[in-house]
Amino acid sequence: MESRISNAKALASNKFEVPRYKGRYMKKIFLTVLFPIVLLATPPSWYIQSNIPTKEYEIVGYGAGFTREEANKKAKSHIANAIQTNVQSSSSIEESEIDGEFKQSTKTSIKESSNVDLSDLKQIKSAYIDGEYFVALKYVNLPFAKKVRLKFSDISQMKQETNTYLIHTPLLQELKVEFGFFPKISIDKNNLLIEKQSFSIDDDTLKKLFSLVDNKAIKIKQPKNIKHSEFYFIDVVVLKSGFVTVIHFYENGGISILYDNEKIIKNTKYSYPNKDEYNGIEAYLEKNVDKTKDLTIALLCKDKKDFSYFDQMTDQKENFAKVYGKLFDTIDGCDVASEMLSIRRQ
């Protein structure tokens, strides 16, 4: 439980005799020293007792602080500890004197390292008492697909997903287990949307949008494992005529278009990039990253598609747009093939 100086209106006084010289004579004067009486903020009963009702898969974290952000961090730390994550917390007390008034403040720093995403938290209680914030946050300790299913009581009229790529992904396969069918989804700004409900997509959920897909009309051949800074080529075989696009989808949500809407006749085999002009594509890892996976997606479409939302891969420093949600809508209706490339530091 935290305490702080919350009310300094009540004062006590003590008198001390202090000798003071004036000329040749010594005169006694009295100096009054005032001491503040510390009164503690009284937390709400739900905070003291920590007894908010929960279901067996719910965890409630309680926190208090001089700011709402500090209180939320401590509640989050409480939850993280409950699900056995690693949270490091440190506190320091600073003292100062301004215009003869003594002040004390506490600074808390929380550094967390967790395998569990805690972005999807719900505030269920809060109070502001004598300058101090008290909060209670709730976390649903279930796999992503089960969390999604909990939000829907009646699914009889729910639309079903037909996107040929999405229904192959681990994410949609998990949702099918919970719903009994593939629910219609869309993705916008790292949020999964089903009907009118929105769900935050964490890093682990994003990876579940990576899927290996075989297709009779278009095929990809590339290395499965490669080291950082090595070069490689992507071979594409097209067995029927159409417009071909090759895309890189990265684990952090980035998208790069290698080339798009190339008109190719059937039974054509070619490599990207051109082996007569380039050494290949450089496998790349960000600093402090030891390994990652890139997904190569090859499309064969009857008509041209609009890929203007995404950045083109060049021989310059790569930039990409994190609007991967639009990708799935764009490729719907095309023949899709995909392959995974694992990149390691050593």
Side-chain angles (χ1 to χ4, degrees), residues 15-31:
K15 294 184 178 181
F16 298 90
E17 289 190 358
V18 181
R20 182 176 179 181
Y21 289 96
K22 186 178 181 181
R24 293 180 299 167
Y25 302 97
M26 186 172 68
K27 181 179 181 182
K28 288 185 179 181
I29 64 171
F30 293 96
L31 178 65

Side-chain angles (χ1 to χ4, degrees), residues 22-23 32 87 158 168 182 248 252 266 281 291 340-341:
K22 186 178 181 181
T32 301
V87 176
M158 185 176 289
H168 285 89
F182 296 114
H248 266 174
N252 63 2
K266 66 179 181 179
I281 302 171
K291 60 182 179 179
M340 202 90 70
L341 174 67

Side-chain angles (χ1 to χ4, degrees), residues 47-306:
Y47 182 86
I48 296 173
Q49 298 171 10
S50 301
N51 62 351
I52 296 176
T54 61
K55 297 178 181 178
E56 60 180 87
Y57 52 80
E58 295 176 337
I59 299 174
V60 175
Y62 300 85
F66 300 126
T67 65
R68 186 178 296 277
E69 180 183 8
E70 181 185 0
N72 285 335
K73 282 185 177 180
K74 291 181 179 178
K76 187 176 179 180
S77 175
H78 185 184
I79 293 172
N81 286 330
I83 52 181
Q84 297 182 343
T85 57
N86 179 27
V87 176
Q88 298 177 347
S89 177
S90 62
S91 298
S92 62
I93 298 176
E94 293 186 354
E95 298 179 350
S96 60
E97 185 176 355
I98 301 176
D99 295 332
E101 183 179 354
F102 176 81
K103 291 188 176 182
Q104 186 180 53
S105 62
T106 303
K107 288 188 176 182
T108 302
S109 174
I110 298 176
K111 180 180 180 181
E112 60 184 75
S113 174
S114 171
N115 294 323
V116 180
D117 177 69
L118 296 181
S119 60
D120 189 18
L121 296 173
K122 182 180 180 181
Q123 181 176 283
I124 53 177
K125 290 281 188 180
S126 67
Y128 181 69
I129 303 173
D130 292 335
E132 192 164 9
Y133 292 89
F134 300 90
V135 300
L137 304 180
K138 183 174 71 175
Y139 174 72
V140 178
N141 191 26
L142 289 173
F144 182 79
K146 290 185 180 294
K147 287 183 183 181
V148 172
R149 181 62 182 87
L150 282 176
K151 293 290 186 177
F152 301 94
S153 56
D154 182 11
I155 60 175
S156 60
Q157 302 300 317
M158 185 176 289
K159 294 180 180 180
Q160 298 189 29
E161 185 60 69
T162 59
N163 186 298
T164 53
Y165 175 81
L166 285 175
I167 62 177
H168 285 89
T169 62
L171 176 58
L172 265 292
Q173 293 292 329
E174 290 179 7
L175 290 173
K176 183 182 180 181
V177 171
E178 301 301 325
F179 286 86
F181 57 87
F182 296 114
K184 181 69 176 177
I185 72 167
S186 60
I187 297 172
D188 181 47
K189 296 179 181 178
N190 262 16
N191 290 308
L192 178 75
L193 306 176
I194 301 179
E195 301 290 321
K196 295 182 179 180
Q197 297 286 349
S198 177
F199 307 90
S200 176
I201 298 176
D202 60 20
D203 291 342
D204 289 335
T205 305
L206 173 60
K207 294 174 185 177
K208 291 179 180 179
L209 289 169
F210 279 36
S211 178
L212 298 178
V213 181
D214 291 324
N215 194 288
K216 294 180 179 180
I218 186 168
K219 298 184 181 299
I220 304 173
K221 184 178 180 181
Q222 67 177 25
K224 295 186 182 299
N225 298 281
I226 198 169
K227 293 182 180 179
H228 171 67
S229 294
E230 289 184 344
F231 291 86
Y232 68 99
F233 290 90
I234 300 172
D235 296 322
V236 179
V237 178
V238 181
L239 301 178
K240 68 179 185 182
S241 299
F243 294 92
V244 175
T245 300
V246 178
I247 301 165
H248 266 174
F249 184 12
Y250 306 103
E251 277 192 325
N252 63 2
I255 297 287
S256 283
I257 305 298
L258 278 64
Y259 60 90
D260 63 304
N261 293 312
E262 293 286 340
K263 191 171 183 179
I264 305 297
I265 61 173
K266 66 179 181 179
N267 299 323
T268 300
K269 180 180 179 180
Y270 60 98
S271 299
Y272 180 87
N274 189 319
K275 292 182 178 180
D276 294 330
E277 299 180 16
Y278 297 94
N279 294 327
I281 302 171
E282 183 180 9
Y284 180 75
L285 289 174
E286 298 282 351
K287 291 181 179 179
N288 303 319
V289 175
D290 292 325
K291 60 182 179 179
T292 191
K293 289 184 178 180
D294 293 349
L295 184 71
T296 303
I297 301 174
L299 308 175
L300 179 62
C301 307
K302 293 180 180 180
D303 303 302
K304 289 186 176 181
K305 295 284 187 174
D306 181 10

Side-chain angles (χ1 to χ4, degrees), residues 309-320:
Y309 292 104
F310 311 105
D311 292 331
Q312 300 284 333
M313 180 177 282
T314 69
D315 57 0
Q316 304 299 316
K317 183 177 180 181
E318 184 179 358
N319 294 305
F320 46 77

